[in-house]
Amino acid sequence: MAADSDNRVPLDELHAAFDREVTTDKRAAAETAYALAFRYRNEDVGGARHFDLAKVWANRAIELLDELPSARLDQVASTRMSVGGVPLPEFLHADVVRERLADVLA
């Protein structure tokens, strides 16, 4: 993935990464969906913030994470430190997404 001038991967590349990951690695796809939700919430995209798209991606992350085992810490540990310029929490599970993106999920 190429990075743009502020060290963030372009959104279209994150979308493509999600499309690849969702069939091969659901944890990675959930991490990417989480990053997309943050990017749409926090950045101007085409001159506006897109809370509606942030909500879609936050819900997608939650759906994927709910499908994964989460009884042990190693099962909820993030596999990367960041995705697309968005730092990931050390442990990522559905409740973390709900807490950190509560403003767009409301």
Side-chain angles (χ1 to χ4, degrees):
M1 283 185 230
D4 60 17
S5 61
D6 67 355
N7 239 5
R8 293 193 179 243
V9 173
L11 289 170
D12 60 338
E13 290 187 31
L14 280 179
H15 284 271
F18 176 84
D19 289 342
R20 285 188 307 275
E21 293 163 351
V22 76
T23 59
T24 60
D25 184 343
K26 287 190 183 205
R27 170 143 301 275
E31 292 171 354
T32 300
Y34 174 84
L36 280 161
F38 258 88
R39 295 277 302 270
Y40 279 115
R41 182 187 75 180
N42 294 346
E43 293 178 21
D44 288 341
V45 179
R49 290 199 171 101
H50 293 278
F51 278 54
D52 53 338
L53 289 172
K55 182 176 184 173
V56 168
W57 285 105
N59 281 321
R60 189 67 178 117
I62 289 167
E63 290 168 9
L64 287 165
L65 291 166
D66 278 343
E67 293 175 14
L68 297 170
S70 61
R72 300 186 323 258
L73 287 179
D74 65 316
Q75 294 173 323
V76 297
S78 294
T79 62
R80 301 171 277 186
M81 294 189 67
S82 69
V83 174
V86 176
L88 295 179
E90 184 177 358
F91 301 106
L92 183 63
H93 52 81
D95 287 339
V96 169
V97 177
R98 286 183 188 99
E99 178 184 318
R100 293 192 177 192
L101 292 165
D103 56 337
V104 298
L105 290 168

